mmCIF file of all heavy atoms in Angstrom:
data_model
loop_
_atom_site.group_PDB
_atom_site.id
_atom_site.type_symbol
_atom_site.label_atom_id
_atom_site.label_comp_id
_atom_site.label_asym_id
_atom_site.label_seq_id
_atom_site.Cartn_x
_atom_site.Cartn_y
_atom_site.Cartn_z
ATOM 1 N N GLY A 132 40.953 25.918 18.493
ATOM 2 C CA GLY A 132 40.322 25.703 17.197
ATOM 3 C C GLY A 132 41.364 25.622 16.090
ATOM 4 O O GLY A 132 41.318 24.738 15.240
ATOM 5 N N ALA A 133 42.336 26.568 16.142
ATOM 6 C CA ALA A 133 43.359 26.591 15.117
ATOM 7 C C ALA A 133 44.187 25.303 15.157
ATOM 8 O O ALA A 133 44.518 24.723 14.125
ATOM 9 C CB ALA A 133 44.247 27.819 15.316
ATOM 10 N N GLU A 134 44.509 24.870 16.381
ATOM 11 C CA GLU A 134 45.310 23.652 16.534
ATOM 12 C C GLU A 134 44.556 22.430 15.978
ATOM 13 O O GLU A 134 45.134 21.593 15.264
ATOM 14 C CB GLU A 134 45.619 23.441 18.028
ATOM 15 C CG GLU A 134 46.171 22.066 18.388
ATOM 16 C CD GLU A 134 47.644 21.869 17.999
ATOM 17 O OE1 GLU A 134 48.287 22.868 17.617
ATOM 18 O OE2 GLU A 134 48.101 20.714 18.076
ATOM 19 N N ILE A 135 43.235 22.380 16.313
ATOM 20 C CA ILE A 135 42.436 21.251 15.810
ATOM 21 C C ILE A 135 42.402 21.264 14.277
ATOM 22 O O ILE A 135 42.612 20.248 13.614
ATOM 23 C CB ILE A 135 40.998 21.289 16.377
ATOM 24 C CG1 ILE A 135 41.041 20.981 17.878
ATOM 25 C CG2 ILE A 135 40.105 20.265 15.669
ATOM 26 C CD1 ILE A 135 39.702 21.043 18.582
ATOM 27 N N TRP A 136 42.206 22.474 13.693
ATOM 28 C CA TRP A 136 42.186 22.573 12.244
ATOM 29 C C TRP A 136 43.524 22.160 11.656
ATOM 30 O O TRP A 136 43.596 21.412 10.685
ATOM 31 C CB TRP A 136 41.841 24.011 11.817
ATOM 32 C CG TRP A 136 42.018 24.206 10.345
ATOM 33 C CD1 TRP A 136 42.963 24.987 9.724
ATOM 34 C CD2 TRP A 136 41.258 23.617 9.297
ATOM 35 N NE1 TRP A 136 42.835 24.906 8.372
ATOM 36 C CE2 TRP A 136 41.802 24.076 8.064
ATOM 37 C CE3 TRP A 136 40.170 22.738 9.274
ATOM 38 C CZ2 TRP A 136 41.290 23.682 6.834
ATOM 39 C CZ3 TRP A 136 39.670 22.353 8.040
ATOM 40 C CH2 TRP A 136 40.219 22.813 6.839
ATOM 41 N N LYS A 137 44.595 22.600 12.267
ATOM 42 C CA LYS A 137 45.935 22.303 11.761
ATOM 43 C C LYS A 137 46.191 20.806 11.739
ATOM 44 O O LYS A 137 46.879 20.289 10.872
ATOM 45 C CB LYS A 137 46.977 23.003 12.677
ATOM 46 C CG LYS A 137 48.289 23.329 11.966
ATOM 47 C CD LYS A 137 49.242 24.065 12.904
ATOM 48 C CE LYS A 137 49.988 23.074 13.788
ATOM 49 N NZ LYS A 137 50.689 23.735 14.906
ATOM 50 N N THR A 138 45.636 20.075 12.734
ATOM 51 C CA THR A 138 45.923 18.641 12.841
ATOM 52 C C THR A 138 44.819 17.770 12.244
ATOM 53 O O THR A 138 44.872 16.556 12.359
ATOM 54 C CB THR A 138 46.127 18.232 14.322
ATOM 55 O OG1 THR A 138 45.056 18.782 15.091
ATOM 56 C CG2 THR A 138 47.451 18.770 14.856
ATOM 57 N N THR A 139 43.786 18.416 11.704
ATOM 58 C CA THR A 139 42.734 17.594 11.036
ATOM 59 C C THR A 139 42.531 18.049 9.601
ATOM 60 O O THR A 139 43.182 17.527 8.687
ATOM 61 C CB THR A 139 41.395 17.653 11.803
ATOM 62 O OG1 THR A 139 41.001 19.003 11.927
ATOM 63 C CG2 THR A 139 41.511 17.016 13.184
ATOM 64 N N GLY A 140 41.687 19.062 9.429
ATOM 65 C CA GLY A 140 41.301 19.500 8.082
ATOM 66 C C GLY A 140 42.477 19.882 7.245
ATOM 67 O O GLY A 140 42.590 19.465 6.068
ATOM 68 N N ASP A 141 43.390 20.648 7.827
ATOM 69 C CA ASP A 141 44.547 21.132 7.083
ATOM 70 C C ASP A 141 45.390 19.954 6.579
ATOM 71 O O ASP A 141 45.889 19.956 5.462
ATOM 72 C CB ASP A 141 45.362 22.039 8.006
ATOM 73 C CG ASP A 141 46.480 22.743 7.229
ATOM 74 O OD1 ASP A 141 46.168 23.174 6.079
ATOM 75 O OD2 ASP A 141 47.579 22.857 7.744
ATOM 76 N N MET A 142 45.539 18.913 7.452
ATOM 77 C CA MET A 142 46.347 17.752 7.061
ATOM 78 C C MET A 142 45.662 16.951 5.957
ATOM 79 O O MET A 142 46.341 16.362 5.114
ATOM 80 C CB MET A 142 46.632 16.885 8.301
ATOM 81 C CG MET A 142 47.450 17.633 9.313
ATOM 82 S SD MET A 142 48.190 16.573 10.563
ATOM 83 C CE MET A 142 49.838 16.387 9.943
ATOM 84 N N VAL A 143 44.330 16.932 6.020
ATOM 85 C CA VAL A 143 43.581 16.252 4.942
ATOM 86 C C VAL A 143 43.876 16.964 3.640
ATOM 87 O O VAL A 143 44.155 16.333 2.622
ATOM 88 C CB VAL A 143 42.074 16.258 5.244
ATOM 89 C CG1 VAL A 143 41.308 15.663 4.058
ATOM 90 C CG2 VAL A 143 41.782 15.458 6.513
ATOM 91 N N LEU A 144 43.823 18.310 3.683
ATOM 92 C CA LEU A 144 44.055 19.096 2.460
ATOM 93 C C LEU A 144 45.462 18.866 1.924
ATOM 94 O O LEU A 144 45.712 18.871 0.730
ATOM 95 C CB LEU A 144 43.856 20.590 2.748
ATOM 96 C CG LEU A 144 42.430 21.002 3.101
ATOM 97 C CD1 LEU A 144 42.353 22.520 3.280
ATOM 98 C CD2 LEU A 144 41.446 20.569 2.011
ATOM 99 N N ARG A 145 46.401 18.619 2.849
ATOM 100 C CA ARG A 145 47.775 18.398 2.405
ATOM 101 C C ARG A 145 48.054 16.923 2.138
ATOM 102 O O ARG A 145 49.171 16.506 1.946
ATOM 103 C CB ARG A 145 48.752 18.935 3.457
ATOM 104 C CG ARG A 145 48.743 20.470 3.494
ATOM 105 C CD ARG A 145 49.885 21.044 4.292
ATOM 106 N NE ARG A 145 49.650 20.898 5.729
ATOM 107 C CZ ARG A 145 50.519 20.350 6.560
ATOM 108 N NH1 ARG A 145 51.658 19.891 6.124
ATOM 109 N NH2 ARG A 145 50.236 20.263 7.839
ATOM 110 N N GLY A 146 46.959 16.106 2.203
ATOM 111 C CA GLY A 146 47.094 14.685 1.884
ATOM 112 C C GLY A 146 47.828 13.870 2.910
ATOM 113 O O GLY A 146 48.361 12.815 2.647
ATOM 114 N N LYS A 147 47.857 14.362 4.159
ATOM 115 C CA LYS A 147 48.555 13.601 5.196
ATOM 116 C C LYS A 147 47.594 13.275 6.336
ATOM 117 O O LYS A 147 47.935 13.335 7.511
ATOM 118 C CB LYS A 147 49.745 14.424 5.742
ATOM 119 C CG LYS A 147 50.804 14.701 4.693
ATOM 120 C CD LYS A 147 52.135 15.088 5.294
ATOM 121 C CE LYS A 147 52.139 16.490 5.827
ATOM 122 N NZ LYS A 147 53.452 16.924 6.332
ATOM 123 N N ALA A 148 46.339 12.918 5.938
ATOM 124 C CA ALA A 148 45.280 12.739 6.921
ATOM 125 C C ALA A 148 45.655 11.747 7.996
ATOM 126 O O ALA A 148 45.225 11.872 9.134
ATOM 127 C CB ALA A 148 44.003 12.277 6.209
ATOM 128 N N PHE A 149 46.440 10.710 7.624
ATOM 129 C CA PHE A 149 46.721 9.690 8.638
ATOM 130 C C PHE A 149 48.178 9.651 9.040
ATOM 131 O O PHE A 149 48.703 8.623 9.433
ATOM 132 C CB PHE A 149 46.226 8.318 8.138
ATOM 133 C CG PHE A 149 44.748 8.185 8.369
ATOM 134 C CD1 PHE A 149 43.838 8.688 7.435
ATOM 135 C CD2 PHE A 149 44.271 7.615 9.542
ATOM 136 C CE1 PHE A 149 42.474 8.587 7.658
ATOM 137 C CE2 PHE A 149 42.910 7.524 9.776
ATOM 138 C CZ PHE A 149 42.003 8.011 8.836
ATOM 139 N N SER A 150 48.844 10.817 8.971
ATOM 140 C CA SER A 150 50.194 10.871 9.512
ATOM 141 C C SER A 150 50.120 10.859 11.027
ATOM 142 O O SER A 150 49.067 11.076 11.597
ATOM 143 C CB SER A 150 50.907 12.152 9.053
ATOM 144 O OG SER A 150 50.606 13.205 9.906
ATOM 145 N N ARG A 152 51.050 12.861 13.161
ATOM 146 C CA ARG A 152 50.757 14.118 13.834
ATOM 147 C C ARG A 152 49.279 14.499 13.664
ATOM 148 O O ARG A 152 48.837 15.482 14.230
ATOM 149 C CB ARG A 152 51.676 15.245 13.282
ATOM 150 C CG ARG A 152 53.069 15.194 13.848
ATOM 151 C CD ARG A 152 53.903 16.423 13.492
ATOM 152 N NE ARG A 152 53.166 17.688 13.605
ATOM 153 C CZ ARG A 152 52.886 18.297 14.775
ATOM 154 N NH1 ARG A 152 53.280 17.735 15.908
ATOM 155 N NH2 ARG A 152 52.224 19.419 14.804
ATOM 156 N N SER A 153 48.551 13.696 12.902
ATOM 157 C CA SER A 153 47.158 14.036 12.629
ATOM 158 C C SER A 153 46.237 13.557 13.754
ATOM 159 O O SER A 153 46.341 12.429 14.229
ATOM 160 C CB SER A 153 46.736 13.386 11.303
ATOM 161 O OG SER A 153 45.347 13.272 11.271
ATOM 162 N N LEU A 154 45.342 14.429 14.167
ATOM 163 C CA LEU A 154 44.372 14.039 15.195
ATOM 164 C C LEU A 154 43.384 13.009 14.660
ATOM 165 O O LEU A 154 42.827 12.231 15.410
ATOM 166 C CB LEU A 154 43.580 15.291 15.662
ATOM 167 C CG LEU A 154 44.017 15.937 16.973
ATOM 168 C CD1 LEU A 154 43.052 17.039 17.345
ATOM 169 C CD2 LEU A 154 44.119 14.898 18.087
ATOM 170 N N LEU A 155 43.187 13.037 13.351
ATOM 171 C CA LEU A 155 42.303 12.029 12.751
ATOM 172 C C LEU A 155 42.859 10.640 12.988
ATOM 173 O O LEU A 155 42.144 9.704 13.339
ATOM 174 C CB LEU A 155 42.134 12.275 11.238
ATOM 175 C CG LEU A 155 41.335 13.507 10.860
ATOM 176 C CD1 LEU A 155 41.315 13.643 9.338
ATOM 177 C CD2 LEU A 155 39.931 13.410 11.408
#
Side-chain angles (χ1 to χ4, degrees):
Chain A
E134 167 75 10
I135 291 178
W136 170 250
K137 207 177 83 191
T138 49
T139 56
D141 189 40
M142 297 196 98
V143 175
L144 294 183
R145 289 192 285 127
K147 297 199 284 186
F149 279 84
S150 86
R152 281 189 43 76
S153 158
L154 260 186
L155 290 178

